[in-house]
Amino acid sequence: MTNQQFKCLAKAQFNADSIEAWLVRLVCSVKVCKAFDKLNDIVQHGCISGCLSELIYYNDTLKFYTRFEAQIWEHITEFRTSTGLTMGQFLDSFSSSLEDPTTFKNNLTWFAVEHTAHKLLHQYLDGGNCSW
């Protein structure tokens, strides 16, 4: 599937102002790789690796969090429901401490983007080649 085909499929399925639509637009705009390669990079290496230049700095992740806060919490609830984790267990799973509101929002933003990338890979690639 080409980036353009993926973008058209996703456009038909997702609200234009959703994390899914934001991520599809972003990965389809990358000229040097296929969208699925970029999604796989996000899943395999995480946002902490810098693989998404749009979400490296706190300023950017805080803007993202503000824009998509309700959807971020929906992703967290969905993930916790599917894994059976309590909120405490979920928060303990982060590799860095959540000492202040900025770090907390940054980590939740990264989680939601990584979770979305994982879901898109599995939805469009029949299981993908990633693990969660």
Side-chain angles (χ1 to χ4, degrees), residues 17-20 62-78 105 108-109 111-112 115-116:
D17 194 34
S18 67
I19 295 173
E20 291 82 3
L62 292 176
K63 283 181 191 174
F64 186 96
Y65 182 88
T66 299
R67 178 178 175 189
F68 293 112
E69 182 177 7
Q71 291 178 53
I72 289 170
W73 284 101
E74 288 171 11
H75 279 275
I76 292 167
T77 300
E78 177 187 313
K105 291 174 182 179
L108 295 185
T109 293
F111 166 80
H115 185 248
T116 301

PDB file of all heavy atoms in Angstrom, residues 17-20 62-78 105 108-109 111-112 115-116:
ATOM      1  N   ASP A  17      -9.758  15.669  13.177  1.00  0.00           N
ATOM      2  CA  ASP A  17      -9.044  16.225  14.329  1.00  0.00           C
ATOM      3  C   ASP A  17      -8.827  15.144  15.393  1.00  0.00           C
ATOM      4  O   ASP A  17      -9.167  15.313  16.552  1.00  0.00           O
ATOM      5  CB  ASP A  17      -9.811  17.410  14.918  1.00  0.00           C
ATOM      6  CG  ASP A  17      -8.949  18.204  15.889  1.00  0.00           C
ATOM      7  OD1 ASP A  17      -7.728  18.300  15.652  1.00  0.00           O
ATOM      8  OD2 ASP A  17      -9.481  18.709  16.894  1.00  0.00           O
ATOM      9  N   SER A  18      -8.250  14.042  14.960  1.00  0.00           N
ATOM     10  CA  SER A  18      -7.956  12.943  15.876  1.00  0.00           C
ATOM     11  C   SER A  18      -6.453  12.672  15.876  1.00  0.00           C
ATOM     12  O   SER A  18      -5.729  13.094  14.964  1.00  0.00           O
ATOM     13  CB  SER A  18      -8.703  11.676  15.450  1.00  0.00           C
ATOM     14  OG  SER A  18      -8.200  11.203  14.207  1.00  0.00           O
ATOM     15  N   ILE A  19      -6.005  11.982  16.892  1.00  0.00           N
ATOM     16  CA  ILE A  19      -4.590  11.595  16.954  1.00  0.00           C
ATOM     17  C   ILE A  19      -4.255  10.710  15.753  1.00  0.00           C
ATOM     18  O   ILE A  19      -3.196  10.859  15.142  1.00  0.00           O
ATOM     19  CB  ILE A  19      -4.273  10.873  18.278  1.00  0.00           C
ATOM     20  CG1 ILE A  19      -4.446  11.823  19.460  1.00  0.00           C
ATOM     21  CG2 ILE A  19      -2.851  10.303  18.248  1.00  0.00           C
ATOM     22  CD1 ILE A  19      -4.322  11.156  20.830  1.00  0.00           C
ATOM     23  N   GLU A  20      -5.171   9.824  15.386  1.00  0.00           N
ATOM     24  CA  GLU A  20      -4.936   8.934  14.242  1.00  0.00           C
ATOM     25  C   GLU A  20      -4.721   9.735  12.964  1.00  0.00           C
ATOM     26  O   GLU A  20      -3.755   9.486  12.231  1.00  0.00           O
ATOM     27  CB  GLU A  20      -6.125   7.972  14.073  1.00  0.00           C
ATOM     28  CG  GLU A  20      -6.250   6.942  15.154  1.00  0.00           C
ATOM     29  CD  GLU A  20      -6.940   7.431  16.430  1.00  0.00           C
ATOM     30  OE1 GLU A  20      -7.389   8.596  16.479  1.00  0.00           O
ATOM     31  OE2 GLU A  20      -7.020   6.642  17.383  1.00  0.00           O
ATOM     32  N   LEU A  62       3.610  19.496  24.963  1.00  0.00           N
ATOM     33  CA  LEU A  62       2.562  20.147  25.756  1.00  0.00           C
ATOM     34  C   LEU A  62       1.445  20.702  24.868  1.00  0.00           C
ATOM     35  O   LEU A  62       0.266  20.629  25.225  1.00  0.00           O
ATOM     36  CB  LEU A  62       3.152  21.246  26.632  1.00  0.00           C
ATOM     37  CG  LEU A  62       4.071  20.767  27.760  1.00  0.00           C
ATOM     38  CD1 LEU A  62       4.682  21.949  28.495  1.00  0.00           C
ATOM     39  CD2 LEU A  62       3.349  19.838  28.709  1.00  0.00           C
ATOM     40  N   LYS A  63       1.805  21.245  23.716  1.00  0.00           N
ATOM     41  CA  LYS A  63       0.780  21.711  22.766  1.00  0.00           C
ATOM     42  C   LYS A  63      -0.068  20.529  22.290  1.00  0.00           C
ATOM     43  O   LYS A  63      -1.294  20.626  22.197  1.00  0.00           O
ATOM     44  CB  LYS A  63       1.431  22.393  21.558  1.00  0.00           C
ATOM     45  CG  LYS A  63       1.910  23.789  21.820  1.00  0.00           C
ATOM     46  CD  LYS A  63       2.509  24.363  20.541  1.00  0.00           C
ATOM     47  CE  LYS A  63       3.238  25.650  20.811  1.00  0.00           C
ATOM     48  NZ  LYS A  63       3.944  26.143  19.620  1.00  0.00           N
ATOM     49  N   PHE A  64       0.602  19.425  21.988  1.00  0.00           N
ATOM     50  CA  PHE A  64      -0.103  18.222  21.547  1.00  0.00           C
ATOM     51  C   PHE A  64      -1.046  17.738  22.646  1.00  0.00           C
ATOM     52  O   PHE A  64      -2.206  17.424  22.397  1.00  0.00           O
ATOM     53  CB  PHE A  64       0.906  17.127  21.188  1.00  0.00           C
ATOM     54  CG  PHE A  64       0.295  15.892  20.594  1.00  0.00           C
ATOM     55  CD1 PHE A  64       0.244  15.721  19.227  1.00  0.00           C
ATOM     56  CD2 PHE A  64      -0.225  14.889  21.405  1.00  0.00           C
ATOM     57  CE1 PHE A  64      -0.319  14.580  18.667  1.00  0.00           C
ATOM     58  CE2 PHE A  64      -0.796  13.745  20.860  1.00  0.00           C
ATOM     59  CZ  PHE A  64      -0.839  13.595  19.494  1.00  0.00           C
ATOM     60  N   TYR A  65      -0.546  17.699  23.878  1.00  0.00           N
ATOM     61  CA  TYR A  65      -1.358  17.245  25.005  1.00  0.00           C
ATOM     62  C   TYR A  65      -2.593  18.128  25.165  1.00  0.00           C
ATOM     63  O   TYR A  65      -3.704  17.627  25.333  1.00  0.00           O
ATOM     64  CB  TYR A  65      -0.543  17.240  26.301  1.00  0.00           C
ATOM     65  CG  TYR A  65      -1.343  16.728  27.480  1.00  0.00           C
ATOM     66  CD1 TYR A  65      -1.380  15.374  27.760  1.00  0.00           C
ATOM     67  CD2 TYR A  65      -2.075  17.590  28.278  1.00  0.00           C
ATOM     68  CE1 TYR A  65      -2.141  14.892  28.827  1.00  0.00           C
ATOM     69  CE2 TYR A  65      -2.842  17.126  29.335  1.00  0.00           C
ATOM     70  CZ  TYR A  65      -2.861  15.770  29.610  1.00  0.00           C
ATOM     71  OH  TYR A  65      -3.621  15.299  30.642  1.00  0.00           O
ATOM     72  N   THR A  66      -2.420  19.413  25.087  1.00  0.00           N
ATOM     73  CA  THR A  66      -3.542  20.341  25.225  1.00  0.00           C
ATOM     74  C   THR A  66      -4.567  20.107  24.116  1.00  0.00           C
ATOM     75  O   THR A  66      -5.771  20.078  24.369  1.00  0.00           O
ATOM     76  CB  THR A  66      -3.045  21.799  25.204  1.00  0.00           C
ATOM     77  OG1 THR A  66      -2.149  21.982  26.313  1.00  0.00           O
ATOM     78  CG2 THR A  66      -4.182  22.780  25.300  1.00  0.00           C
ATOM     79  N   ARG A  67      -4.100  19.922  22.911  1.00  0.00           N
ATOM     80  CA  ARG A  67      -4.995  19.729  21.767  1.00  0.00           C
ATOM     81  C   ARG A  67      -5.762  18.405  21.857  1.00  0.00           C
ATOM     82  O   ARG A  67      -6.944  18.348  21.516  1.00  0.00           O
ATOM     83  CB  ARG A  67      -4.181  19.764  20.473  1.00  0.00           C
ATOM     84  CG  ARG A  67      -4.996  19.517  19.235  1.00  0.00           C
ATOM     85  CD  ARG A  67      -4.163  19.620  17.989  1.00  0.00           C
ATOM     86  NE  ARG A  67      -4.934  19.256  16.821  1.00  0.00           N
ATOM     87  CZ  ARG A  67      -4.409  19.088  15.630  1.00  0.00           C
ATOM     88  NH1 ARG A  67      -3.120  19.266  15.424  1.00  0.00           N
ATOM     89  NH2 ARG A  67      -5.169  18.743  14.616  1.00  0.00           N
ATOM     90  N   PHE A  68      -5.079  17.346  22.306  1.00  0.00           N
ATOM     91  CA  PHE A  68      -5.666  16.003  22.252  1.00  0.00           C
ATOM     92  C   PHE A  68      -5.891  15.377  23.632  1.00  0.00           C
ATOM     93  O   PHE A  68      -6.012  14.159  23.745  1.00  0.00           O
ATOM     94  CB  PHE A  68      -4.758  15.070  21.437  1.00  0.00           C
ATOM     95  CG  PHE A  68      -4.662  15.419  19.976  1.00  0.00           C
ATOM     96  CD1 PHE A  68      -3.468  15.893  19.452  1.00  0.00           C
ATOM     97  CD2 PHE A  68      -5.745  15.279  19.130  1.00  0.00           C
ATOM     98  CE1 PHE A  68      -3.356  16.195  18.104  1.00  0.00           C
ATOM     99  CE2 PHE A  68      -5.652  15.582  17.783  1.00  0.00           C
ATOM    100  CZ  PHE A  68      -4.450  16.040  17.256  1.00  0.00           C
ATOM    101  N   GLU A  69      -5.994  16.179  24.670  1.00  0.00           N
ATOM    102  CA  GLU A  69      -6.064  15.641  26.034  1.00  0.00           C
ATOM    103  C   GLU A  69      -7.151  14.569  26.199  1.00  0.00           C
ATOM    104  O   GLU A  69      -6.882  13.490  26.737  1.00  0.00           O
ATOM    105  CB  GLU A  69      -6.283  16.762  27.048  1.00  0.00           C
ATOM    106  CG  GLU A  69      -6.323  16.267  28.473  1.00  0.00           C
ATOM    107  CD  GLU A  69      -6.463  17.394  29.490  1.00  0.00           C
ATOM    108  OE1 GLU A  69      -6.658  18.567  29.095  1.00  0.00           O
ATOM    109  OE2 GLU A  69      -6.359  17.092  30.686  1.00  0.00           O
ATOM    110  N   ALA A  70      -8.338  14.829  25.759  1.00  0.00           N
ATOM    111  CA  ALA A  70      -9.428  13.859  25.931  1.00  0.00           C
ATOM    112  C   ALA A  70      -9.126  12.554  25.197  1.00  0.00           C
ATOM    113  O   ALA A  70      -9.349  11.454  25.729  1.00  0.00           O
ATOM    114  CB  ALA A  70     -10.752  14.448  25.446  1.00  0.00           C
ATOM    115  N   GLN A  71      -8.590  12.669  23.996  1.00  0.00           N
ATOM    116  CA  GLN A  71      -8.253  11.469  23.226  1.00  0.00           C
ATOM    117  C   GLN A  71      -7.093  10.695  23.853  1.00  0.00           C
ATOM    118  O   GLN A  71      -7.069   9.465  23.809  1.00  0.00           O
ATOM    119  CB  GLN A  71      -7.911  11.841  21.792  1.00  0.00           C
ATOM    120  CG  GLN A  71      -9.103  12.333  21.004  1.00  0.00           C
ATOM    121  CD  GLN A  71      -8.713  12.741  19.617  1.00  0.00           C
ATOM    122  OE1 GLN A  71      -8.091  11.979  18.895  1.00  0.00           O
ATOM    123  NE2 GLN A  71      -9.079  13.958  19.237  1.00  0.00           N
ATOM    124  N   ILE A  72      -6.137  11.413  24.421  1.00  0.00           N
ATOM    125  CA  ILE A  72      -5.017  10.756  25.102  1.00  0.00           C
ATOM    126  C   ILE A  72      -5.559   9.890  26.230  1.00  0.00           C
ATOM    127  O   ILE A  72      -5.175   8.720  26.376  1.00  0.00           O
ATOM    128  CB  ILE A  72      -3.999  11.793  25.613  1.00  0.00           C
ATOM    129  CG1 ILE A  72      -3.232  12.416  24.436  1.00  0.00           C
ATOM    130  CG2 ILE A  72      -3.036  11.162  26.624  1.00  0.00           C
ATOM    131  CD1 ILE A  72      -2.385  13.616  24.794  1.00  0.00           C
ATOM    132  N   TRP A  73      -6.482  10.435  27.018  1.00  0.00           N
ATOM    133  CA  TRP A  73      -7.054   9.677  28.125  1.00  0.00           C
ATOM    134  C   TRP A  73      -7.909   8.517  27.630  1.00  0.00           C
ATOM    135  O   TRP A  73      -7.979   7.462  28.278  1.00  0.00           O
ATOM    136  CB  TRP A  73      -7.807  10.600  29.077  1.00  0.00           C
ATOM    137  CG  TRP A  73      -6.816  11.363  29.914  1.00  0.00           C
ATOM    138  CD1 TRP A  73      -6.400  12.655  29.738  1.00  0.00           C
ATOM    139  CD2 TRP A  73      -6.061  10.857  31.023  1.00  0.00           C
ATOM    140  NE1 TRP A  73      -5.441  12.980  30.663  1.00  0.00           N
ATOM    141  CE2 TRP A  73      -5.223  11.897  31.476  1.00  0.00           C
ATOM    142  CE3 TRP A  73      -6.024   9.629  31.674  1.00  0.00           C
ATOM    143  CZ2 TRP A  73      -4.344  11.739  32.550  1.00  0.00           C
ATOM    144  CZ3 TRP A  73      -5.155   9.467  32.747  1.00  0.00           C
ATOM    145  CH2 TRP A  73      -4.331  10.516  33.173  1.00  0.00           C
ATOM    146  N   GLU A  74      -8.535   8.653  26.470  1.00  0.00           N
ATOM    147  CA  GLU A  74      -9.264   7.528  25.875  1.00  0.00           C
ATOM    148  C   GLU A  74      -8.304   6.400  25.518  1.00  0.00           C
ATOM    149  O   GLU A  74      -8.612   5.221  25.738  1.00  0.00           O
ATOM    150  CB  GLU A  74     -10.036   7.983  24.640  1.00  0.00           C
ATOM    151  CG  GLU A  74     -11.233   8.845  24.949  1.00  0.00           C
ATOM    152  CD  GLU A  74     -11.855   9.472  23.718  1.00  0.00           C
ATOM    153  OE1 GLU A  74     -11.500   9.083  22.573  1.00  0.00           O
ATOM    154  OE2 GLU A  74     -12.697  10.370  23.890  1.00  0.00           O
ATOM    155  N   HIS A  75      -7.145   6.753  24.975  1.00  0.00           N
ATOM    156  CA  HIS A  75      -6.133   5.740  24.645  1.00  0.00           C
ATOM    157  C   HIS A  75      -5.638   5.042  25.915  1.00  0.00           C
ATOM    158  O   HIS A  75      -5.450   3.824  25.932  1.00  0.00           O
ATOM    159  CB  HIS A  75      -4.953   6.363  23.898  1.00  0.00           C
ATOM    160  CG  HIS A  75      -5.210   6.568  22.445  1.00  0.00           C
ATOM    161  ND1 HIS A  75      -5.015   5.573  21.509  1.00  0.00           N
ATOM    162  CD2 HIS A  75      -5.672   7.640  21.760  1.00  0.00           C
ATOM    163  CE1 HIS A  75      -5.329   6.030  20.311  1.00  0.00           C
ATOM    164  NE2 HIS A  75      -5.737   7.285  20.442  1.00  0.00           N
ATOM    165  N   ILE A  76      -5.438   5.816  26.954  1.00  0.00           N
ATOM    166  CA  ILE A  76      -4.977   5.235  28.222  1.00  0.00           C
ATOM    167  C   ILE A  76      -6.026   4.274  28.765  1.00  0.00           C
ATOM    168  O   ILE A  76      -5.703   3.144  29.180  1.00  0.00           O
ATOM    169  CB  ILE A  76      -4.649   6.354  29.238  1.00  0.00           C
ATOM    170  CG1 ILE A  76      -3.423   7.135  28.784  1.00  0.00           C
ATOM    171  CG2 ILE A  76      -4.442   5.767  30.639  1.00  0.00           C
ATOM    172  CD1 ILE A  76      -3.195   8.441  29.526  1.00  0.00           C
ATOM    173  N   THR A  77      -7.273   4.692  28.756  1.00  0.00           N
ATOM    174  CA  THR A  77      -8.357   3.833  29.256  1.00  0.00           C
ATOM    175  C   THR A  77      -8.461   2.558  28.424  1.00  0.00           C
ATOM    176  O   THR A  77      -8.588   1.458  28.972  1.00  0.00           O
ATOM    177  CB  THR A  77      -9.696   4.601  29.239  1.00  0.00           C
ATOM    178  OG1 THR A  77      -9.565   5.745  30.081  1.00  0.00           O
ATOM    179  CG2 THR A  77     -10.837   3.729  29.704  1.00  0.00           C
ATOM    180  N   GLU A  78      -8.400   2.697  27.116  1.00  0.00           N
ATOM    181  CA  GLU A  78      -8.459   1.528  26.230  1.00  0.00           C
ATOM    182  C   GLU A  78      -7.316   0.560  26.531  1.00  0.00           C
ATOM    183  O   GLU A  78      -7.522  -0.649  26.644  1.00  0.00           O
ATOM    184  CB  GLU A  78      -8.398   1.977  24.769  1.00  0.00           C
ATOM    185  CG  GLU A  78      -8.382   0.838  23.768  1.00  0.00           C
ATOM    186  CD  GLU A  78      -8.153   1.333  22.351  1.00  0.00           C
ATOM    187  OE1 GLU A  78      -8.829   2.308  21.947  1.00  0.00           O
ATOM    188  OE2 GLU A  78      -7.300   0.758  21.662  1.00  0.00           O
ATOM    189  N   LYS A 105       2.706  15.052  31.318  1.00  0.00           N
ATOM    190  CA  LYS A 105       2.004  15.280  30.058  1.00  0.00           C
ATOM    191  C   LYS A 105       2.843  14.828  28.860  1.00  0.00           C
ATOM    192  O   LYS A 105       2.306  14.292  27.888  1.00  0.00           O
ATOM    193  CB  LYS A 105       1.623  16.754  29.923  1.00  0.00           C
ATOM    194  CG  LYS A 105       0.548  17.166  30.914  1.00  0.00           C
ATOM    195  CD  LYS A 105       0.279  18.651  30.864  1.00  0.00           C
ATOM    196  CE  LYS A 105      -0.772  19.047  31.896  1.00  0.00           C
ATOM    197  NZ  LYS A 105      -1.024  20.493  31.881  1.00  0.00           N
ATOM    198  N   LEU A 108       2.581  11.020  28.691  1.00  0.00           N
ATOM    199  CA  LEU A 108       1.260  10.590  28.235  1.00  0.00           C
ATOM    200  C   LEU A 108       1.080  10.862  26.745  1.00  0.00           C
ATOM    201  O   LEU A 108       0.469  10.070  26.022  1.00  0.00           O
ATOM    202  CB  LEU A 108       0.154  11.273  29.044  1.00  0.00           C
ATOM    203  CG  LEU A 108       0.086  10.920  30.528  1.00  0.00           C
ATOM    204  CD1 LEU A 108      -1.140  11.573  31.168  1.00  0.00           C
ATOM    205  CD2 LEU A 108       0.083   9.428  30.771  1.00  0.00           C
ATOM    206  N   THR A 109       1.624  11.975  26.267  1.00  0.00           N
ATOM    207  CA  THR A 109       1.591  12.280  24.840  1.00  0.00           C
ATOM    208  C   THR A 109       2.330  11.211  24.057  1.00  0.00           C
ATOM    209  O   THR A 109       1.815  10.670  23.071  1.00  0.00           O
ATOM    210  CB  THR A 109       2.210  13.669  24.572  1.00  0.00           C
ATOM    211  OG1 THR A 109       1.360  14.665  25.149  1.00  0.00           O
ATOM    212  CG2 THR A 109       2.386  13.936  23.090  1.00  0.00           C
ATOM    213  N   PHE A 111       3.030   8.189  24.957  1.00  0.00           N
ATOM    214  CA  PHE A 111       2.298   6.930  25.035  1.00  0.00           C
ATOM    215  C   PHE A 111       1.174   6.894  24.002  1.00  0.00           C
ATOM    216  O   PHE A 111       1.009   5.910  23.279  1.00  0.00           O
ATOM    217  CB  PHE A 111       1.704   6.704  26.445  1.00  0.00           C
ATOM    218  CG  PHE A 111       0.690   5.598  26.444  1.00  0.00           C
ATOM    219  CD1 PHE A 111       1.101   4.278  26.477  1.00  0.00           C
ATOM    220  CD2 PHE A 111      -0.663   5.881  26.332  1.00  0.00           C
ATOM    221  CE1 PHE A 111       0.167   3.249  26.394  1.00  0.00           C
ATOM    222  CE2 PHE A 111      -1.606   4.864  26.262  1.00  0.00           C
ATOM    223  CZ  PHE A 111      -1.185   3.544  26.301  1.00  0.00           C
ATOM    224  N   ALA A 112       0.371   7.949  23.940  1.00  0.00           N
ATOM    225  CA  ALA A 112      -0.775   7.970  23.023  1.00  0.00           C
ATOM    226  C   ALA A 112      -0.335   7.861  21.569  1.00  0.00           C
ATOM    227  O   ALA A 112      -0.964   7.150  20.777  1.00  0.00           O
ATOM    228  CB  ALA A 112      -1.601   9.232  23.239  1.00  0.00           C
ATOM    229  N   HIS A 115       0.913   4.255  21.056  1.00  0.00           N
ATOM    230  CA  HIS A 115      -0.254   3.365  21.058  1.00  0.00           C
ATOM    231  C   HIS A 115      -1.009   3.487  19.737  1.00  0.00           C
ATOM    232  O   HIS A 115      -1.436   2.481  19.152  1.00  0.00           O
ATOM    233  CB  HIS A 115      -1.150   3.724  22.249  1.00  0.00           C
ATOM    234  CG  HIS A 115      -2.310   2.817  22.428  1.00  0.00           C
ATOM    235  ND1 HIS A 115      -3.598   3.237  22.220  1.00  0.00           N
ATOM    236  CD2 HIS A 115      -2.396   1.517  22.797  1.00  0.00           C
ATOM    237  CE1 HIS A 115      -4.430   2.239  22.449  1.00  0.00           C
ATOM    238  NE2 HIS A 115      -3.728   1.176  22.799  1.00  0.00           N
ATOM    239  N   THR A 116      -1.164   4.696  19.250  1.00  0.00           N
ATOM    240  CA  THR A 116      -1.838   4.928  17.975  1.00  0.00           C
ATOM    241  C   THR A 116      -1.060   4.305  16.827  1.00  0.00           C
ATOM    242  O   THR A 116      -1.649   3.659  15.949  1.00  0.00           O
ATOM    243  CB  THR A 116      -2.040   6.439  17.739  1.00  0.00           C
ATOM    244  OG1 THR A 116      -2.822   6.966  18.811  1.00  0.00           O
ATOM    245  CG2 THR A 116      -2.721   6.714  16.410  1.00  0.00           C
TER     246      THR A 116
END
